[in-house]
Amino acid sequence: MLSVENLHVRYGNIEALHGVSFTLERGEIVTLIGANGAGKTTTLHSIMRLPPPEAPRVTQGDIRFEGASILGVEPHDVVRRLGIGLVPEGRRIFGNLTVQENLTLATYARKDDSAAVQQDLGRVFELFPRLKERQRQLADSLSGGEQQMLAVGRALMSRCEVILLDEPSMGLAPLLMFDMFRTLKHLNEEGLTILVVEQNAKVALDFAHRGYVMDTGAIVAEGTSAELRADPSVKKAYLGG
Ligand SMILES: Nc1ncnc2c1ncn2[C@@H]1O[C@H](COP(=O)(O)OP(=O)(O)O)[C@@H](O)[C@H]1O
Ligand SMILES: [Mg+2]
């Protein structure tokens, strides 16, 4: 479905990715794990085709979706036409808007009627009942876990078929984290394809079917979650021995 091929990208004169390759098939949960600064966010922003300075410049390689290069695709078309949604690092929700406003904001660009928006909103509230209970509250008043649910819900409002999650576990208490991954697993069973990047290798490998390990702008290991968990170098560097 998605393939990143020998991707080299630069911020100014500094190369941040040095030939990254990986694939994501429809229906899969794939993780990219790596330490802070490995290039995980850069990889996701490159796929979303975000404009500079947010996203780096691709200097070599390709990103293909259903076989066709997306390097020339506009960011809004990545979301609307290709159906790829991003849940950004640190959630980036609007704290001074209500839960419902955060969810419907993304749909303003959509040419749909409001009935379709209401239907999507209903689906998000079904998945995340806590967001429904809090729909009229300011997003700032939500807990970290609820804010993460809101960020996922917002991505789903764009009717994406693939969701890219940037460190969703960050800052969440363990129970909220398991709750969130359980909901994401459920979404995957319903057909959502998931690419998740994480510093927390343990939770990422428990959640994903397979994964890749990134280190300073390159992929250094890959395999099924079981294979990566058993890999001595992965254990040593990312799983605490
Ligand atoms: N906007 C930017 N401008 C310049 N360098 C950046 C920018 N964003 C990230 N980098 C650099 O690119 C490398 C990869 O960063 P990033 O993709 O954010 O890593 P990760 O998400 O794995 O922590 C780091 O060396 C970082 O300093
Ligand atoms: Mg990052």
Side-chain angles (χ1 to χ4, degrees):
M1 183 179 211
L2 181 72
S3 72
V4 171
E5 300 168 3
N6 187 32
L7 193 68
H8 292 250
V9 305
R10 286 176 179 273
Y11 292 105
N13 287 326
I14 298 166
E15 190 173 78
L17 300 183
H18 320 293
V20 166
S21 300
F22 65 91
T23 60
L24 176 67
E25 300 300 335
R26 196 174 280 277
E28 273 193 311
I29 304 176
V30 170
T31 185
L32 298 182
I33 58 180
N36 193 24
K40 304 180 300 297
T41 297
T42 297
T43 302
L44 298 189
H45 285 181
S46 301
I47 296 168
M48 297 308 294
R49 311 305 308 132
L50 296 182
E54 200 84 80
R57 186 165 49 88
V58 173
T59 55
Q60 205 185 318
D62 206 351
I63 302 170
R64 292 176 177 275
F65 187 76
E66 309 283 24
S69 177
I70 65 167
L71 292 183
V73 175
E74 295 292 328
H76 59 265
D77 279 335
V78 171
V79 179
R80 268 186 280 167
R81 189 160 63 74
L82 306 181
I84 305 177
L86 174 69
V87 179
E89 188 170 5
R91 348 259 194 244
R92 298 209 201 166
I93 55 176
F94 296 97
N96 56 346
L97 297 183
T98 66
V99 167
Q100 176 160 354
E101 284 165 344
N102 268 281
L103 290 172
T104 50
L105 199 62
T107 64
Y108 281 152
R110 229 162 75 180
K111 294 184 174 58
D112 270 333
D113 54 305
S114 63
V117 171
Q118 287 308 315
Q119 193 187 335
D120 292 350
L121 203 54
R123 177 155 183 275
V124 169
F125 285 154
E126 205 176 293
L127 280 165
F128 301 109
R130 299 199 46 105
L131 294 184
K132 182 172 188 179
E133 290 163 21
R134 287 161 172 68
Q135 60 182 298
R136 291 184 215 298
Q137 289 184 24
L138 293 184
D140 259 347
S141 70
L142 301 180
S143 70
E146 290 161 353
Q147 292 189 359
Q148 185 64 57
M149 289 175 195
L150 180 56
V152 172
R154 182 182 53 187
L156 295 175
M157 288 297 289
S158 66
R159 296 193 173 176
C160 52
E161 291 182 25
V162 188
I163 196 168
L164 315 183
L165 296 149
D166 198 343
E167 306 218 27
S169 79
M170 199 195 276
L172 295 191
L175 276 179
L176 288 171
M177 195 170 76
F178 291 129
D179 216 35
M180 182 201 54
F181 279 120
R182 190 165 352 104
T183 305
L184 290 169
K185 198 105 196 174
H186 169 72
L187 284 166
N188 171 253
E189 281 156 10
E190 286 192 342
L192 185 70
T193 304
I194 299 177
L195 177 64
V196 57
V197 313
E198 271 291 346
Q199 281 187 57
N200 188 336
K202 186 175 181 323
V203 300
L205 292 175
D206 284 346
F207 172 61
H209 303 132
R210 59 188 186 88
Y212 298 83
V213 179
M214 271 191 108
D215 187 12
T216 52
I219 303 283
V220 295
E222 66 175 276
T224 63
S225 292
E227 285 166 350
L228 288 174
R229 267 195 297 264
D231 182 317
S233 63
V234 174
K235 268 191 191 168
K236 184 160 177 282
Y238 302 98
L239 299 170

